Amino acid sequence: MSRADKELVYVEHCKGVNGLEKVVLREVRGCSAEVYLYGGHVTSWKNEHGEELLFLSSKANFNPPKAIRGGIPICFPQFSNLGPLESHGFARNRFWSIDNDPPPFPTNSSNKAFVDLILKHSEEDVKIWPHRYEYRLRITLGPGGDLMLTSRIRNMNTDGKPFSFTFAYHTYFAVTDISEVRVEGLETLDYLDNLKNRERFTEQGDAITFESELDRVYLSTPTKIAILDHERKRTFVLRKDGLPDAVVWNPWDRKARAMPDFGDDEYKHMLCVEAASIEKPITLKPEHCNLVKRLITVSCLLYRHSLHSELVLLAN
């Protein structure tokens, strides 16, 4: 082990904006990530050159119960306004706790820069969403700068009832100029256009480019989606298994001006491409006398050049 490796603080617990608790993850090559316990929210992810890979609005609100604009909000148990809850559910504006006793992961890893968080239902949550759950989130920064989010959601209902939910990693990528960005891998696929009452269309272009507001949910998406930032000469690749949908969103100028926590011109420098499960909600049954254990695992692995997401249902 090198001296630098010995001296490096891989995981640092400290205070962030407005005194909110955060965790800073660091790796040997100089890459880093920041995670706020409020929302279980990744707000920063930098490569070894110190370049920020996630967009965070200059007007982002770090005053609970408002959600933080940018980074990687967790949309659970509802995506957008597709249900009775507030938009994108409540996980992104709850205070998570450090999980000091996480269950073992199915794969062994030598990663040192990671943090385990946990969110459990409160009585206030049950009043608006009548289900009991346990949501464990591991955020890992790999030696090469990859960022992985692994969500494990368990149905803790005692009445034997299943629950259904929609989900998304609402990832805001930092781009140089949205007019010079292309998204590849979604051609010929059906999508729901949120600007046209979720009407269903088929993608006709050989890539998605941006000249105006765009808000779509692509369906039955492939395992690989590429985001090309031509001006920066950077390519993100989204690789995913088990998360069938992909959201592509940019608010453009008019909607940007209408959002109080978003700069008027910041739409030029961000793009959301989100691994998600939206069209068909996930249904999770509760445990029955410990004989049947059902667990949802949702992983999202982000590299400087690629992003890997997967959804796995484990039962034993």
Side-chain angles (χ1 to χ4, degrees):
M1 183 180 292
S2 69
R3 180 178 177 182
D5 190 49
K6 289 181 181 179
E7 294 177 351
L8 179 66
V9 177
Y10 289 91
V11 181
E12 178 186 2
H13 297 258
C14 55
K15 299 290 186 180
V17 180
N18 291 338
L20 294 174
E21 291 185 71
K22 72 175 181 179
V23 179
V24 180
L25 306 177
R26 299 185 182 90
E27 264 297 346
V28 176
R29 295 182 183 179
C31 49
S32 66
E34 296 187 4
V35 185
Y36 276 75
L37 270 60
Y38 177 62
H41 198 132
V42 179
T43 57
S44 175
W45 171 39
K46 294 180 180 179
N47 62 19
E48 65 271 26
H49 304 297
E51 298 169 334
E52 183 59 66
L53 304 176
L54 296 177
F55 166 84
L56 183 71
S57 174
S58 62
K59 295 186 175 182
N61 196 326
F62 286 80
N63 294 303
K66 298 291 186 181
I68 300 169
R69 174 71 67 184
I72 310 178
I74 302 293
C75 300
F76 170 86
Q78 176 184 299
F79 179 78
S80 187
N81 58 358
L82 304 178
L85 301 176
E86 60 189 294
S87 183
H88 292 324
F90 47 70
R92 65 181 185 150
N93 51 22
R94 293 290 187 270
F95 282 94
W96 296 56
S97 302
I98 298 294
D99 187 358
N100 293 313
D101 188 26
F105 275 65
T107 57
N108 294 323
S109 173
S110 59
N111 292 326
K112 299 177 181 179
F114 67 89
V115 62
D116 287 294
L117 304 180
I118 187 168
L119 180 68
K120 295 183 178 181
H121 65 270
S122 67
E123 292 309 311
E124 292 302 312
D125 291 341
V126 172
K127 291 177 182 178
I128 60 174
W129 194 61
H131 303 291
R132 301 176 185 274
Y133 66 90
E134 180 181 84
Y135 188 148
R136 283 185 154 100
L137 174 65
R138 172 171 287 190
I139 301 162
T140 305
L141 183 68
D146 49 301
L147 183 66
M148 175 180 280
L149 288 79
T150 303
S151 297
R152 301 197 279 187
I153 303 165
R154 191 185 299 276
N155 183 336
M156 304 296 287
N157 282 338
T158 57
D159 57 7
K161 293 182 179 180
F163 63 65
S164 298
F165 62 93
T166 49
F167 179 93
Y169 287 115
H170 199 319
T171 308
Y172 287 73
F173 289 100
V175 299
T176 311
D177 181 352
I178 188 63
S179 65
E180 297 294 327
V181 172
R182 291 164 56 94
V183 177
E184 298 181 352
L186 301 174
E187 52 274 10
T188 75
L189 297 183
D190 285 357
Y191 63 87
L192 305 177
D193 193 333
N194 289 323
L195 302 180
K196 297 181 179 179
N197 297 315
R198 303 187 77 235
E199 189 176 347
R200 192 174 184 124
F201 297 92
T202 300
E203 180 59 53
Q204 301 296 326
D206 60 356
I208 301 170
T209 56
F210 301 88
E211 299 176 346
S212 60
E213 181 183 359
L214 190 140
D215 188 357
R216 298 173 180 174
V217 179
Y218 285 84
L219 310 174
S220 301
T221 54
T223 58
K224 186 175 178 180
I225 302 169
I227 304 143
L228 288 72
D229 183 344
H230 291 289
E231 190 164 325
R232 185 59 61 88
K233 295 182 172 59
R234 173 183 292 147
T235 299
F236 295 99
V237 178
L238 166 60
R239 302 184 185 194
K240 60 190 190 65
D241 298 293
L243 286 167
D245 305 324
V247 180
V248 181
W249 177 66
N250 184 286
W252 219 251
D253 55 351
R254 187 176 66 174
K255 190 161 286 184
R257 289 193 297 269
M259 292 188 287
D261 59 349
F262 196 96
D264 290 355
D265 293 324
E266 287 184 332
Y267 73 92
K268 298 176 181 178
H269 308 298
M270 56 73 63
L271 175 64
C272 287
V273 179
E274 312 163 34
S277 185
I278 297 169
E279 184 192 28
K280 297 178 181 178
I282 299 165
T283 298
L284 190 58
K285 295 180 180 179
E287 296 183 15
H288 296 288
C289 304
N290 292 325
L291 295 177
V292 179
K293 297 181 180 180
R294 296 194 177 210
L295 183 68
I296 290 289
T297 300
V298 187
S299 296
C300 183
L301 176 58
L302 297 91
Y303 294 94
R304 180 166 58 119
H305 297 296
S306 65
L307 179 155
H308 181 154
S309 308
E310 64 181 356
L311 173 63
V312 181
L313 176 62
L314 303 177
N316 60 347

